[in-house]
Amino acid sequence: MSEKSHLAALSFLAKLTATKKLTIWLILLFTTLALGILQWQSGAKIQTDILAMLPKVSENPLTQRAIAQVEQQLANRFYIGVVSADQNTAVSAATMLMQQLKSTSSAVFTDISSADISQAEALNAFYFPYRFNLLTDKQQQQLTQQQWQQLTQASLQQLYSAFSYANSALISHDPLLLYPDNLLALAPKQALSIDNGVLITRLPSSDAEAAPGFVAIVMATGLQSAFSPDAQQSQLAALELAKKTVTSNFPEVDFLHAGALFHAAAATDNAKKEVSSIGLISLIGVIALVWFAFRSVIPLMIAMVTLSCSLLFAVVLTLVVFGELHLLTLVFGTSLIGIAIDYCFHFYCERLNNPQYDANHTSLAILPAISLALLTSIIAYGSLGLAPFPGMQQVAIFCAAGLLGAYLTLVFAYPALASAKLNSGQRQLELADQYQGFMLKRAVPSSRFSAGLLLLGCMVFIGIGLSQLSSDDDIRQLQHTPPAIQQQEDTLRTVLSGGTDNQFLLIKGQSEEDVKQELEQIEPILELAEQQQLLGNHFSLSRFLPSEKTQATNYQLQQQIYQQHLGEIFELLGIEDSIKQPLADEFTAAKARYIKADNFLRSAAGQQLSSMWLMPQQDSDLDSDLDSGYASIVLLGGIKQLDKLSALFQDNPNVDLVDKVGEISKLMGLYRQLTLGLLVIALLAAVCIFTLRFGIRLASIMVSVPALAAILTLSTLGIMLAPLTLFHALALILVFGIGIDYCLFFAEADQKTRGVMMAVLMSAISTLLAFGLLAFSQTPAISAFGLTLLIGISFTFLLSPFIQIFTRKTPQC
């Protein structure tokens, strides 16, 4: 910022009276408040979905659609395990639980079920007309080897068996009873059995001597998103009411839970607690600090006004830009309290140091330093928002807007609101001056030998720390799940044969037939992977949608039954000849009548599976080459060796293993490196800006202080064996932004630094209070963010007073 621009701004503001400035501030304040009310009425909301903060995994529209469909299918689905030592009790309790959920919460849940008997009936109704195109692997092998007589003998055994499912209606349309085995083959493989329409199995236990337990599975889907706080409350309340009714009738049963609902609810509760506790303690600490420094109610009130305006600007501008405000943004944003209050500290410390100045004169006196501080802070926060990471973009806008609100409050409201006379603060100023004198006289080496030792010790510390520094970009750091919830989730996943993981296969093709054939080709590979324990289970549409090639082959194989040997088969089975010709005609009419994906997925049998099939988008604005093909999703469960599983398909261009967690973790690693690069760019930008006012030598020295603080912070993290993450890197940007402000005020103050030292001391304490509390967050990402700032600001505070060594010898430019 040039000297001319300083003078122009000062000249304009100096012409305005305190009343006019207050009027401008009130207009800005009420305009912002009205804009916020308008945004809220227009649908702005608080967002708790952790996925909303994450970057996009793939630019491929087909892959993005597949991820969205899998998330939509799984996100609102949850499972309840009803546990009892007696199987009958578990089944009865599960049945009652389903009845209670259906009767008391029709507006909350849907698809409440256990074993879906109606699904089997729907499958039978759909597939029976296509029975001539269906064969199991064993049946296909027998007919390929012309072993139709063996199939006839098997049919005879069924006819005379006491437990046979054969009847005259079925035999008249399927004399060799091939169709029932094909219908059974559609059922997914699972370790659970069915008892009175309820899925039931033994409860796994690591204690061999423990009494055997049983768990009955109940499934349901929330009508609203599991990440909506209101939906969480209504769903959990309805579930607790139903469970209470069950336990009143079956007091011996217990419950297990699995699903995004329980993780999201825990995250919401945790975020709310941390927002309230961290924000409240931070606020109390700031109030105590202001009272200690100024011993007056007025500075406390001005501090509260500053913080309120800062938060108002932060919330409203974030809603304007994004249309929503994430809970994690609020948690990160509580640290804004420790930064926005700095403007209040510098104003009042300047008044204490120069009691002859009134409020208007004081605000004009610190305007150059405050303006440069705002500019460098916005550069720092802007660096956070450059990476395509929605979560950090929100944090950047939130904090930058909050600081702008605090700056405007100081410039336009302080001259009128903060004009009251202050109590003497000489004692506090003297303490700050004594501390600075101690640092400059005692902490500075008195000889070259001691300076060399200090430099050597610092280099050894940095070398050891940086050599021990490692990285960890796992996306799961974003969310903390209580151990009790995770343990229940893991238990139910084991019961459900591994459950469904976040990873899935995306099978692509230019036509429906291409995808069907590809599904059939990978099926043996997936079955082998299960045998090799690379995978717990998988669920594919291959058994529901055989390719036309396979259907045509099956039809041709059955010609030996219905066109070559039908008379012999009827004679061996003792079937009347009167139905022979109608059956032959029915077979002939079925030629080239294939099972189509569209027909199946729109039927009652296939509606629940429709999310696993992707058709070309019609009227899409996207490039047709990217979104014109067909695709199918294969769900994977119980993945034990992801790398080896991925290697099975790496040479197949039509099969993608979509691993959103892994891909986002890779992106976070890339953003971590980019953020550290942005830090270097921000340092260079600050040198250029400060050179215009202080000259290249002093500007370089000013920037070297937060740069050294950042290096020392990284070294400390390495010695603590804390792996470096994106959130450590993001925090280093703020270490620079806050640290450069400290150096800036010392440089602007020249020799009159008592007030600056006191303001920096108060600023550092308030910032450490805010960020230090973040370091104790249960969410690892927030904890990493806070810990880095706690260490970095401490180093910056200790180093910044040494700017005075150079300002005493460096003339102003």
Side-chain angles (χ1 to χ4, degrees), residues 420-479:
K421 186 177 180 180
L422 290 177
N423 296 324
S424 175
Q426 291 303 311
R427 183 167 176 268
Q428 292 90 325
L429 290 169
E430 288 174 3
L431 288 174
D433 195 38
Q434 290 173 8
Y435 169 78
Q436 184 179 4
F438 171 80
M439 291 295 292
L440 294 177
K441 293 177 182 179
R442 302 295 182 183
V444 176
S446 57
S447 66
R448 290 186 176 181
F449 177 75
S450 57
L453 284 179
L454 179 62
L455 180 62
L456 178 62
C458 185
M459 292 178 64
V460 169
F461 177 82
I462 291 174
I464 294 175
L466 294 180
S467 66
Q468 296 296 315
L469 198 62
S470 60
S471 61
D472 180 7
D473 301 301
D474 194 335
I475 187 60
R476 281 163 287 201
Q477 298 175 90
L478 272 174
Q479 191 156 329

Side-chain angles (χ1 to χ4, degrees), residues 50-69:
I50 197 69
L51 302 175
M53 292 196 75
L54 305 182
K56 291 183 179 179
V57 172
S58 171
E59 295 300 325
N60 188 318
L62 195 62
T63 304
Q64 289 183 15
R65 285 173 55 206
I67 292 173
Q69 290 191 188

Side-chain angles (χ1 to χ4, degrees), residues 49 124 132 215 268 272 298 327 334 434 436 450 574 674 700 734 750:
D49 185 354
N124 178 49
F132 302 118
V215 57
T268 300
K272 287 180 178 178
I298 298 299
L327 267 179
T334 56
Q434 290 173 8
Q436 184 179 4
S450 57
L674 289 175
S700 301
L734 298 190
D750 197 12

Side-chain angles (χ1 to χ4, degrees), residues 119-251:
Q119 178 68 5
E121 297 174 352
L123 289 171
N124 178 49
F126 177 82
Y127 282 103
F128 190 75
Y130 299 100
R131 64 192 179 280
F132 302 118
N133 295 344
L134 302 176
L135 288 173
T136 65
D137 292 340
K138 182 179 179 181
Q139 291 168 353
Q140 192 178 78
Q141 182 180 7
Q142 288 175 315
L143 289 175
T144 301
Q145 297 173 358
Q146 301 288 322
Q147 295 177 352
W148 58 270
Q149 296 94 338
Q150 292 185 9
L151 293 172
T152 306
Q153 291 299 319
S155 180
L156 275 171
Q157 292 176 6
Q158 282 290 331
L159 287 173
Y160 293 106
S161 171
F163 302 100
S164 173
Y165 43 71
N167 55 55
S168 58
L170 178 60
I171 293 172
S172 64
H173 295 282
D174 180 24
L176 296 188
L177 301 177
L178 302 180
Y179 175 69
D181 287 340
N182 282 276
L183 193 62
L184 290 173
L186 295 176
K189 298 177 182 178
Q190 59 185 15
L192 286 78
S193 57
I194 300 176
D195 186 349
N196 289 327
V198 174
L199 292 172
I200 187 78
T201 189
R202 287 186 177 274
L203 185 67
S205 176
S206 57
D207 187 357
E209 298 181 359
F214 296 88
V215 57
I217 306 299
V218 174
M219 298 168 282
T221 301
L223 287 174
Q224 294 179 286
S225 171
F227 297 102
S228 165
D230 292 338
Q232 290 168 12
Q233 292 181 5
S234 60
Q235 291 177 23
L236 289 176
L239 183 58
E240 287 301 318
L241 181 62
K243 285 164 53 180
K244 186 176 181 180
T245 303
V246 172
T247 52
S248 65
N249 290 273
F250 302 96

